[in-house]
Amino acid sequence: MAAMDSSRDFVKDVKRVVIKVGTAVVTRSDGRLALGRIGCLCEQIKELNYQGYEVILVTSGLLDFADLQKPQVDLDGKACAAVGQSGLMALYDALFSQLDVASSQLLVTDKDFEDTNFRMQLSETVNSLLDLKVIPIFNENDAISTRRAPYEDSSGIFWDNDSLAGLLALELKADLLVLLSDVEGLYSGPPSEPGSKIIHTYMKEVHQAKITFGSKSRVGRGGMTAKVKAAVCAASAGIPVVISSTQGRKVGTLFHQHAEKLVSLKEIGARDMAVSARECSRRFQNLSSEERKKILLDVADALEANEKLIRTENEADVAAAKLAGYEKSLVSRLTLKPGKISSLANSIRVLADMEEPIGQVLKRTELADGLVLEKTACPCVLLIVFESRPDALVQIASLALRSGNGLLLKGGKEAARSNAVLHKAVGEKLIALVTSRDEIPDLLKLDDVIDLVIPRGSNKLVSQIKEATKIPVLGHADGICHVYVDKSADMKWRGKSSWMQRQIIQPLETLLVHQDLVKGGQINDLVMALRLEGVTLYGGPRASAELDIPQAGSFHHEYNTMACTIEIVDDVVAAINHIHSHGSAHTDCVVAEDEEVAESFLRGAAVFHNASTRFCDGARFGLGAEVGISTGRIHARGPVGLLIRCNTRNRLLISPSGEMQSRILRGHGQAVDGDKGVLYTHKNLL
């Protein structure tokens, strides 16, 4: 059932479960019994019973008086309880009988539990019933209760069915207590109020003073206040408790004796996390450039000081990934190879010495005499989701620290241990690490706080994030990279191909070869060189027939393994058309000595000339590092840093700007009045 699903990630070895069902759960809004809901509940209990769980049900004892009530008559509560207990029990008995499950009724009062012998006998009876796969159904015997006012008096050993459920969980040594409600769980305020947020894990020291309880349920005795009180008592005694509804998966509030160990970032919600990142960004902006530089240098020192621990945790992640059967390419990206920590530390020191990014004037334009418009770089709040590569955490975090950006990071589960230890080295209070996948959907809704989402990972990851958010997404869904080898190419260059060096983030998917190289036999040398490197070859229609290699299923396929597709084209125009049809605007290269051919390629496609596609990297572009690679047509394109624009050269026509921008207008009291007396000059000053 839903509450069991919501607790399964936190509670281990559960066998005996106490489930409490309140009046609000078993009745409809008009006061009548919710027969469908009760039937569904019985079916779920039956499934748990068949799966080997020992289920104890605590239920309210109500009666549907919708057809009997007379507005002028005050009904006696104890009389109603007497009728209601037998009526509801008859319903449970009928429903469970239809499911071939036996049930039994046990009515108790507060006074009963003062008798030690009663408590012992109760435990023996329940154990016997459970051994026989019978569902014990408990209810307070309100009809003969000595409580002065059953719906008001909260004295005694228990005072309502919530506290009774908690008491029974202790007495009967339950492994889990589930308190079912008509809402999904415990909220920070009344669930109907817009600002109320569900609390997934309750921590008394954090939440007790912050929760605002609304009025209790339209029916029943205690409402959410009683449930929380019972849950806190049971959890403090070592019994995990979940408050949840009867519908949905992984929805509810967990109460646990060691809640603080289960909670990421002290159980702050997604909005709180994002707002905290924004406030952290503002604090960074108030620091001097030297102060932020000092933080980065401390991070670099911390990485080197903790290298042994980092490598130990990374080796554990790698071993687990291999055991789980992950692909070799993922394991390779996951591995922090020898010298990597030192390299990361050195790159951070280089980053610390880069030009101050905050407030940097990117462009200055004189609009009119004495009226100057400035475009400046300004920090923002980023959510970056990345897979596999733990070094990405360090690179992205260091860029954010230098540039004053607020940052929320979510790494892949395969690198959990590596990310955790690196997060500590970078600074847990400076950068937020999201450790639960469940937080991501909530974060993606916060377009009023988060300015940009950058996913780094698989096509599936990027596509899912783009579909799930209104926040601008900067990234590439595919990394379909091409190399076109012209007939004028110096074939000695082939041995330096990025594919033949190492499988990295910019692999070669498709090798386009001029048809004259087939006629001259040079293509055979190229094929041989690739095969010697262990590359599996597939062909397009022409290459498959010419070279006798298997035909590729699609040109639009990112291999992520030691494989690529070869196709034969007529000339550079055909190569450009192929790239436009099947490429992803990631990284494409022309190998040619003919300058006219090279220029045609650079004008018609993107955009390396006689240079390895591995140069498409933030550090190599002078950005210090990169937060991702963008294939979008608007704003940033190519490797994206958080700091400054990269001065491109050698026709690497990829604009790697990634900074958020603002415009500052400096004037002398000018006003817009139909542009009277204003002569616009639009003169570039910077």
Side-chain angles (χ1 to χ4, degrees):
M1 62 194 301
M4 290 292 290
D5 288 330
S6 67
S7 65
R8 205 164 275 156
D9 292 339
F10 306 102
V11 182
K12 307 298 181 184
D13 302 322
V14 172
K15 182 172 179 61
R16 181 168 293 186
V17 185
V18 173
I19 300 174
K20 186 268 175 178
V21 185
T23 306
V25 175
V26 296
T27 60
R28 303 184 319 200
S29 58
D30 60 2
R32 296 177 182 273
L33 284 174
L35 297 178
R37 199 180 304 154
I38 297 173
C40 181
L41 173 69
C42 291
E43 288 181 349
Q44 293 182 72
I45 291 175
K46 169 220 170 182
E47 288 300 320
L48 293 175
N49 193 33
Y50 279 13
Q51 291 174 24
Y53 291 100
E54 297 177 346
V55 182
I56 300 165
L57 183 62
V58 180
T59 185
S60 64
L62 65 117
L63 174 65
D64 178 6
F65 279 103
D67 296 325
L68 303 178
Q69 286 181 336
K70 297 179 181 180
Q72 68 273 21
V73 177
D74 291 331
L75 298 172
D76 178 74
K78 292 184 181 295
C80 290
V83 178
Q85 286 163 358
S86 60
L88 188 59
M89 190 59 217
L91 178 60
Y92 277 122
D93 184 63
L95 290 172
F96 278 124
S97 295
Q98 291 293 319
L99 299 170
D100 294 325
V101 176
S103 61
S104 66
Q105 183 181 27
L106 294 95
L107 298 176
V108 295
T109 66
D110 177 77
K111 293 293 183 181
D112 292 333
F113 286 89
E114 296 177 359
D115 186 339
T116 304
N117 291 328
F118 168 83
R119 293 161 77 164
M120 292 177 58
Q121 185 59 52
L122 178 68
S123 181
E124 290 178 8
T125 300
V126 170
N127 287 337
S128 297
L129 290 171
L130 293 174
D131 288 341
L132 296 170
K133 296 288 186 179
V134 175
I135 306 296
I137 303 178
F138 279 88
N139 182 235
E140 181 182 6
N141 193 351
D142 292 323
I144 60 171
S145 173
T146 58
R147 195 183 308 281
R148 294 187 300 276
Y151 285 78
E152 299 174 7
D153 186 2
S154 60
S155 61
I157 297 176
F158 69 87
W159 49 92
D160 57 23
N161 284 321
D162 291 310
S163 56
L164 171 60
L167 176 61
L168 289 171
L170 292 172
E171 287 288 330
L172 303 175
K173 297 179 173 56
D175 302 308
L176 177 66
L177 169 62
V178 178
L179 302 176
L180 292 180
S181 173
D182 55 349
V183 293
E184 293 176 337
L186 174 62
Y187 281 74
S188 57
S192 59
E193 293 186 2
S196 296
K197 303 293 181 183
I198 192 168
I199 298 170
H200 295 292
T201 304
Y202 179 86
M203 295 178 64
K204 186 175 181 180
E205 60 274 16
V206 173
H207 298 114
Q208 186 175 35
K210 296 182 179 179
I211 295 174
T212 302
F213 291 101
S215 57
K216 76 174 187 67
S217 171
R218 57 186 168 77
V219 290
R221 190 182 309 175
M224 187 58 72
T225 306
K227 288 178 176 57
V228 171
K229 188 174 181 180
V232 169
C233 290
S236 63
I239 298 175
V241 183
V242 174
I243 297 178
S244 183
S245 67
T246 56
Q247 298 179 354
R249 291 181 61 84
K250 292 194 175 182
V251 176
T253 301
L254 174 69
F255 293 73
H256 197 281
Q257 189 176 35
H258 303 295
E260 71 283 352
K261 296 180 180 179
L262 305 175
V263 176
S264 160
L265 296 177
K266 296 184 179 179
E267 187 52 42
I268 59 176
R271 174 168 291 276
D272 296 319
M273 224 183 298
V275 169
S276 178
R278 184 174 62 189
E279 292 173 350
C280 195
S281 171
R282 290 170 179 167
R283 289 196 296 271
F284 284 152
Q285 294 173 56
N286 290 329
L287 296 177
S288 68
S289 181
E290 287 301 314
E291 288 174 320
R292 277 182 279 110
K293 177 179 178 179
K294 174 66 165 54
I295 292 174
L296 280 174
L297 295 176
D298 289 343
V299 169
D301 293 341
L303 285 174
E304 292 179 333
N306 292 279
E307 180 172 3
K308 184 176 180 181
L309 176 60
I310 293 169
R311 290 187 63 80
T312 298
E313 295 298 287
N314 181 248
E315 287 168 1
D317 280 335
V318 171
K322 290 179 179 177
L323 188 63
Y326 284 110
E327 292 183 356
K328 290 182 179 179
S329 57
L330 184 145
V331 174
S332 177
R333 294 193 296 271
L334 177 61
T335 306
L336 293 174
K337 297 177 176 60
K340 187 62 177 180
I341 299 300
S342 178
S343 175
L344 287 171
N346 289 334
S347 67
I348 291 174
R349 295 186 178 104
V350 170
L351 185 63
D353 287 329
M354 292 183 73
E355 184 180 2
E356 168 58 33
I358 298 179
Q360 183 186 31
V361 178
L362 305 175
K363 186 176 182 180
R364 184 180 291 116
T365 304
E366 180 189 80
L367 301 185
D369 185 28
L371 193 63
V372 176
L373 178 68
E374 292 181 350
K375 182 170 73 173
T376 64
C378 64
C380 58
V381 178
L382 303 172
L383 169 60
I384 300 180
V385 183
F386 61 99
E387 296 177 335
S388 308
R389 298 169 61 103
D391 56 315
L393 184 149
V394 178
Q395 295 172 353
I396 297 167
S398 58
L399 283 167
L401 293 173
R402 185 69 180 100
S403 58
N405 287 276
L407 185 59
L408 297 156
L409 282 172
K410 172 65 177 76
K413 63 181 181 180
E414 66 279 355
R417 297 181 66 165
S418 303
N419 289 337
V421 70
L422 288 170
H423 183 225
K424 290 181 180 179
V426 170
E428 293 176 294
K429 295 182 180 179
L430 303 177
I431 301 297
L433 181 65
V434 183
T435 57
S436 171
R437 178 184 292 182
D438 295 339
E439 296 284 1
I440 296 299
D442 291 334
L443 288 168
L444 291 175
K445 296 175 184 176
L446 302 178
D447 56 318
D448 59 327
V449 184
I450 298 173
D451 301 303
L452 186 66
V453 180
I454 303 179
R456 294 184 57 169
S458 65
N459 180 304
K460 181 179 179 181
L461 170 71
V462 178
S463 298
Q464 285 177 342
I465 288 178
K466 285 183 175 180
E467 292 171 1
T469 186
K470 296 179 181 178
I471 305 170
V473 177
L474 191 152
H476 64 280
D478 296 294
I480 311 298
C481 302
H482 295 79
V483 172
Y484 166 59
V485 183
D486 187 62
K487 65 181 180 180
S488 65
D490 178 0
M491 296 305 290
K492 295 179 182 178
W493 186 86
R494 69 182 184 273
K496 299 178 182 177
S497 165
S498 61
W499 243 117
M500 299 180 198
Q501 292 183 45
R502 185 164 61 91
Q503 170 73 7
I504 58 169
I505 195 170
Q506 298 97 9
L508 167 65
E509 260 67 47
T510 302
L511 181 65
L512 301 174
V513 182
H514 193 287
Q515 61 182 358
D516 286 3
L517 297 181
V518 180
K519 298 173 184 176
Q522 296 96 325
I523 194 172
N524 295 323
D525 296 336
L526 195 56
V527 168
M528 181 65 69
L530 288 167
R531 282 177 168 162
L532 287 175
E533 293 293 329
V535 179
T536 301
L537 299 178
Y538 299 93
R542 292 178 66 177
S544 177
E546 187 72 38
L547 303 174
D548 192 26
I549 55 178
Q551 186 165 332
S554 170
F555 282 122
H556 197 84
H557 178 72
E558 187 173 1
Y559 284 104
N560 288 321
T561 59
M562 293 286 282
C564 76
T565 299
I566 298 178
E567 182 57 318
I568 300 164
V569 293
D570 292 341
D571 51 25
V572 67
V573 175
I576 292 170
N577 290 337
H578 180 100
I579 291 170
H580 285 327
S581 298
H582 304 289
S584 63
H586 189 293
T587 311
D588 302 299
C589 174
V590 57
V591 183
E593 295 301 307
D594 187 324
E595 290 296 330
E596 186 177 344
V597 168
E599 288 300 317
S600 296
F601 187 90
L602 295 177
R603 287 194 300 270
V607 282
F608 285 17
H609 177 201
N610 289 354
S612 169
T613 54
R614 286 180 61 187
F615 280 113
C616 193
D617 174 81
R620 294 185 176 96
F621 273 22
L623 302 179
E626 70 183 34
V627 294
I629 292 180
S630 173
T631 56
R633 266 65 175 179
I634 300 175
H635 191 55
R637 177 78 180 274
V640 178
L642 302 180
L643 295 175
I644 59 176
R645 294 175 299 169
C646 170
N647 295 319
T648 61
R649 56 179 170 177
N650 295 331
R651 299 309 300 270
L652 301 187
L653 304 180
I654 300 177
S655 171
S657 59
E659 72 280 3
M660 295 296 286
Q661 301 168 357
S662 66
R663 286 176 168 81
I664 300 172
L665 183 63
R666 305 183 190 278
H668 299 283
Q670 292 94 331
V672 174
D673 184 17
D675 290 336
K676 294 177 182 178
V678 179
L679 178 62
Y680 287 102
T681 57
H682 294 136
K683 183 192 301 181
N684 288 333
L685 305 178
L686 180 65

